[in-house]
């Protein structure tokens, strides 16, 4: 049975993202040379992918050239649990929901994945250039991305906010961006969060309030450190990531709830011949129960979908 192969050039390894729970002195932008102390969260040990087998009907949907080669190049962003991270250090294998789902889909299709670690903001352009066949990184399906990228959905996640635990800055769920006026929000480069915040910057002026400021970081660990050191007031990131983070005492954060739901999917170059095979594989995993076991393992069962979709419209 095929297993996942891994290709990690030195540059990619050097740029591999740190998880939100990497509470060590990793922030190159730190002004005082300190960072919160803590430890990375260990990965769950159960392995729901082990029992997955090839499904001929799904594999038959792959292009003949892919079936013959038996491999696909996957650009993978290991940014934070529960999606994908390095619980044992960046020189070891990544773990997470995206890793398990990718490996399970590959087994259904009877292929191996050649996983290459990459920074989140580089993956979608690299799909368009042909560097990767597939991209994973908790990519949300948006109207803008659908212009150039095809998606095969596997979970319903989205956008949320978190603050430092005990903070009096925000105490309730953010339902309107005017609640952020006058604050500094930290988020990650190339994300739907950055796009949303920048596109809506005028809401504060329209409401006669001081604008919010957006600070963008290339690493989740740097964003968390900035929050704990008071250089930002709020983090905007994934619902599941922020909820997972807040459940870890070492993170010192409080989750403020959901702001906007988004379908999340495997990403492909527009017009990719791989989408139908991936959709069939995800549906097979849903039907045989593997999908539910993977989500239970990573604590994301509330984000389960009933069936995979190709290029659904963005949630309104």
């Amino acid at each position: 049975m095929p297993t996942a192969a891994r290709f990690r050039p030195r540059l990619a390894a050097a740029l591999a993202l740190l998880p939100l729970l990497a509470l060590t002195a990793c922030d190159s932008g730190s002004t005082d040379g300190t960072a919160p102390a803590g430890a990375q969260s260990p990965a769950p040990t159960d392995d729901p992918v082990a029992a997955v087998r090839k499904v001929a009907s799904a594999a038959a949907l792959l292009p003949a050239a892919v079936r013959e080669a038996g491999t696909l190049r996957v650009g993978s962003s290991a940014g934070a649990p529960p999606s994908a991270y390095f619980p044992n250090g960046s020189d070891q294998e990544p773990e997470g929901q995206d890793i398990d789902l990718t490996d399970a889909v590959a087994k259904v299709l009877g292929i191996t994945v050649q996983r290459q670690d990459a920074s989140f903001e580089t993956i979608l352009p690299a799909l368009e250039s042909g560097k990767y066949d597939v991209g994973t990184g908790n990519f949300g399906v948006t109207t803008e991305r659908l212009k150039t990228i095809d998606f095969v959905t596997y979970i319903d996640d989205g956008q949320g906010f978190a603050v430092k635990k005990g903070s009096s800055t925000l105490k309730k769920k953010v339902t309107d961006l005017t609640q952020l006026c006058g604050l500094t929000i930290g988020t990650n480069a190339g994300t739907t969060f950055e796009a949303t915040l920048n596109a809506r910057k005028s809401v504060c002026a329209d409401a006669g309030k001081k604008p919010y400021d957006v600070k963008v970081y290339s690493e989740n660990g740097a964003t968390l450190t900035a929050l704990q050191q008071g250089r930002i007031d709020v983090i905007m990131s994934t619902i599941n990531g922020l909820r997972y983070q807040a459940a870890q005492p070492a993170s010192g954060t409080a989750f403020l709830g959901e702001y906007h739901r988004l379908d999340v999917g495997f990403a492909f170059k527009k017009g990719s011949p791989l989408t139908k095979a991936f959709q069939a594989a995800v549906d097979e995993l849903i039907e045989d129960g593997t999908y539910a076991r993977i989500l239970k393992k990573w604590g994301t069962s509330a984000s389960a979908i009933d069936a995979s979709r190709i290029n659904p419209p963005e949630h309104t």
Side-chain angles (χ1 to χ4, degrees):
M1 182 57 58
T3 56
R6 192 147 176 244
F7 173 59
R8 301 187 60 217
R10 292 179 181 178
L11 179 59
L15 296 177
L17 297 181
L18 296 175
L20 280 168
L21 298 175
L23 308 182
T24 56
C26 60
D27 180 10
S28 59
S30 176
T31 58
D32 61 6
T34 64
Q40 294 188 33
S41 177
T45 57
D46 51 318
D47 186 8
V49 180
V52 177
R53 298 292 181 265
K54 180 179 176 179
V55 177
S57 58
L61 296 174
L62 287 170
V66 175
R67 292 199 305 273
E68 182 177 346
T71 63
L72 286 176
R73 300 161 299 165
V74 179
S76 175
S77 171
S83 178
Y85 70 124
F86 293 102
N88 303 307
S90 60
D91 60 336
Q92 301 295 315
E93 294 293 326
E95 303 277 356
Q97 169 191 273
D98 284 4
I99 305 301
D100 282 352
L101 285 171
T102 303
D103 289 348
V105 164
K107 292 184 79 171
V108 169
L109 297 178
I111 59 175
T112 60
V113 294
Q114 187 184 56
R115 183 175 287 115
Q116 182 171 335
D117 300 326
S119 57
F120 178 90
E121 67 272 19
T122 67
I123 293 177
L124 298 187
L127 289 172
E128 295 183 68
S129 71
K131 182 177 182 179
Y132 308 129
D133 302 303
V134 189
T136 63
N138 211 68
F139 288 107
V141 180
T142 68
T143 301
E144 187 62 28
R145 285 176 175 169
L146 284 169
K147 295 176 182 178
T148 57
I149 297 294
D150 282 338
F151 289 94
V152 173
T153 62
Y154 59 81
I155 201 166
D156 183 40
D157 196 348
Q159 304 172 332
F161 293 92
V163 294
K164 187 175 180 179
K165 194 170 184 179
S167 170
S168 59
T169 302
L170 285 171
K171 293 185 176 180
K172 62 180 181 179
K173 178 179 178 179
V174 176
T175 57
D176 191 298
L177 293 185
T178 57
Q179 293 171 249
L180 304 176
C181 296
L183 302 179
T184 301
I185 304 105
T187 193
N188 293 103
T191 60
T192 62
F193 321 117
E194 181 187 14
T196 296
L197 292 168
N198 287 334
R200 300 290 308 282
K201 268 193 170 181
S202 64
V203 297
C204 295
D206 294 343
K209 297 183 178 182
K210 182 180 178 181
Y212 56 72
D213 185 30
V214 181
K215 290 191 179 299
V216 178
Y217 299 88
S218 62
E219 297 179 349
N220 286 298
T223 311
L224 180 58
T225 299
L227 178 72
Q228 295 185 329
Q229 293 181 347
R231 289 183 280 117
I232 60 175
D233 301 299
V234 192
I235 290 176
M236 187 179 190
S237 190
T238 67
I239 293 167
N240 287 332
L242 292 177
R243 183 183 286 120
Y244 187 101
Q245 173 186 278
Q248 315 303 316
S251 74
T253 63
F255 178 53
L256 294 182
E258 302 176 8
Y259 173 69
H260 179 54
R261 279 274 174 177
L262 284 172
D263 288 309
V264 168
F266 295 104
F268 306 84
K269 180 179 180 178
K270 202 70 181 174
S272 170
L274 299 171
T275 55
K276 289 185 178 180
F278 269 68
Q279 180 188 36
V282 173
D283 284 342
E284 287 286 346
L285 296 171
I286 292 172
E287 184 176 349
D288 73 14
T290 301
Y291 175 81
R293 290 191 292 273
I294 291 173
L295 268 58
K296 182 179 180 180
K297 171 182 176 179
W298 295 105
T300 57
S301 298
S303 290
I305 58 174
D306 295 327
S308 179
R309 300 171 69 191
I310 298 174
N311 296 337
E314 180 179 351
H315 283 310
T316 57

